[in-house]
Amino acid sequence: MVFLKIDGIHHTYFTKNSATTALSDISLEVREGEFVSFLGPSGCGKTTLLSIIAGLIRPTEGTVSLENQPVHKLNNQIGYMLQQDYLFPWKSIKENILLGLKISNSLTEEKEQYAFNLLEQMGLGGFETQYPSQLSGGMRQRVALVRTLATEPKLLMLDEPFSALDFQTKLKLEDLVSDTLKTFGKTAILVTHDIGEAIAMSDRIFLFSPRPGRLHKTFEVPEQLKNLAPFQARNHEAYPELFQSIWKELENIEAK
Ligand SMILES: Nc1ncnc2c1ncn2[C@@H]1O[C@H](COP(=O)(O)OP(=O)(O)OP(=O)(O)O)[C@@H](O)[C@H]1O
Ligand SMILES: [Mg+2]
């Protein structure tokens, strides 16, 4: 069965005196348990597409369904970690990670324990009573991730979760996120500008071209890389070849 089906999406943003077509003719499918990346230049519509998949924006044309249900009718089955971390500064780490559960009225003792376990796994046990301003950027990103995972979504979407981090923190978090998602068998979509990150984390990579955003090419990550942790994948001999071919395609796109 198809898990996530994106079919014939067009999207135009209308304002009083302008119309911007952000996406044109996007169709793709994601299998259950698969990890895919959306890669492409700034402005090609990646965030728009995630917001459509999350059911937050209704597309001008086309449909998105998760397990054959239209996404705008779903409740709480899609976890969306936004491009900025959006932790609430006046709430403690504990309040922040339980927020999604509270809003959806599904906070139970068991779910609270699950969220605390995730926090522990992310190396943040003991930080529950602290506030976001007391944490580093990488720690805040981990808290945001725990908050997203705490509602146990069927599909997880991450919009450039590592882009504001230093390289070392980013590499460590890539391994941690990849390991956590594999453990829970989650289906995930990662948005990134970083070719290396896309290769290291994904099973498949969808490359988008801008103005309007179209699906330019799909890359299958070689089997040898899929089963490695991201850090190891970056050091594997099969890595540079795929990097080069994606790099070339990106140059083609940008030369147009
Ligand atoms: N709310 C909005 N109203 C009008 N136009 C918008 C809106 N949001 C995005 N756009 C336009 O839609 C296009 C796609 O934007 P989007 O944010 O989806 O791109 P992106 O690929 O996520 O870019 P980045 O990599 O910089 O985050 C851009 O041309 C942008 O100006
Ligand atoms: Mg974006």
Side-chain angles (χ1 to χ4, degrees):
M1 186 178 72
V2 179
F3 187 67
L4 176 71
K5 186 176 169 72
I6 297 169
D7 196 15
I9 295 290
H10 285 260
H11 190 67
T12 302
Y13 287 105
F14 293 101
T15 59
K16 247 188 215 156
N17 37 28
S18 73
T20 310
T21 297
L23 294 169
S24 177
D25 196 24
I26 310 282
S27 295
L28 58 94
E29 289 176 3
V30 179
R31 294 184 287 273
E32 186 162 21
E34 199 177 19
F35 194 118
V36 304
S37 288
F38 291 170
L39 184 70
S42 187
C44 71
K46 302 179 297 292
T47 296
T48 303
L49 187 55
L50 287 198
S51 302
I52 290 172
I53 298 170
L56 299 176
I57 300 180
R58 291 293 288 273
T60 324
E61 273 178 54
T63 55
V64 182
S65 56
L66 187 72
E67 295 183 320
N68 289 327
Q69 296 274 341
V71 283
H72 60 270
K73 291 193 178 153
L74 298 177
N75 227 336
N76 255 323
Q77 294 180 32
I78 300 180
Y80 186 8
M81 185 167 147
L82 302 169
Q83 203 159 355
Q84 290 90 14
D85 75 29
Y86 286 119
L87 296 179
F88 292 102
W90 61 88
K91 287 187 184 293
S92 69
I93 300 310
K94 174 181 167 177
E95 290 166 324
N96 266 291
I97 62 171
L98 298 179
L99 195 72
L101 293 167
K102 262 196 192 143
I103 290 174
S104 59
N105 256 333
S106 52
L107 185 61
T108 58
E109 215 163 283
E110 201 185 345
K111 296 213 161 155
E112 183 170 314
Q113 201 48 52
Y114 177 73
F116 287 156
N117 286 345
L118 282 170
L119 201 64
E120 181 89 40
Q121 272 178 36
M122 297 275 171
L124 291 170
F127 284 87
E128 293 81 355
T129 57
Q130 301 222 12
Y131 286 80
S133 63
Q134 297 172 284
L135 271 52
S136 72
M139 290 159 96
R140 282 202 297 273
Q141 287 299 71
R142 277 179 276 162
V143 173
L145 188 67
V146 170
R147 181 174 65 187
T148 313
L149 284 171
T151 56
E152 299 179 73
K154 284 186 178 164
L155 171 68
L156 190 75
M157 300 195 295
L158 309 166
D159 197 352
E160 303 197 28
F162 314 122
S163 60
L165 306 174
D166 64 84
F167 194 60
Q168 219 183 346
T169 308
K170 172 188 163 104
L171 293 185
K172 283 188 188 155
L173 267 189
E174 281 179 11
D175 275 9
L176 182 66
V177 169
S178 170
D179 190 44
T180 310
L181 297 189
K182 273 198 186 128
T183 309
F184 293 106
K186 291 277 180 221
T187 311
I189 302 175
L190 171 77
V191 164
T192 180
H193 282 117
D194 179 340
I195 301 173
E197 183 170 291
I199 298 173
M201 305 273 301
S202 321
D203 300 315
R204 272 191 304 159
I205 299 167
F206 296 100
L207 180 62
F208 290 84
S209 59
R211 287 176 300 276
R214 287 177 197 277
L215 183 53
H216 180 76
K217 202 167 175 175
T218 307
F219 295 87
E220 181 85 35
V221 174
E223 222 44 61
Q224 317 91 283
L225 295 184
K226 280 185 193 172
N227 302 321
L228 293 178
F231 189 82
Q232 291 175 313
R234 285 178 185 266
N235 289 306
H236 191 277
E237 59 185 20
Y239 173 91
E241 194 186 330
L242 182 55
F243 191 100
Q244 287 303 327
S245 38
I246 298 177
W247 177 266
K248 267 193 207 130
E249 283 302 332
L250 261 173
E251 282 199 318
N252 283 342
I253 289 173
E254 278 161 359
K256 271 183 193 161

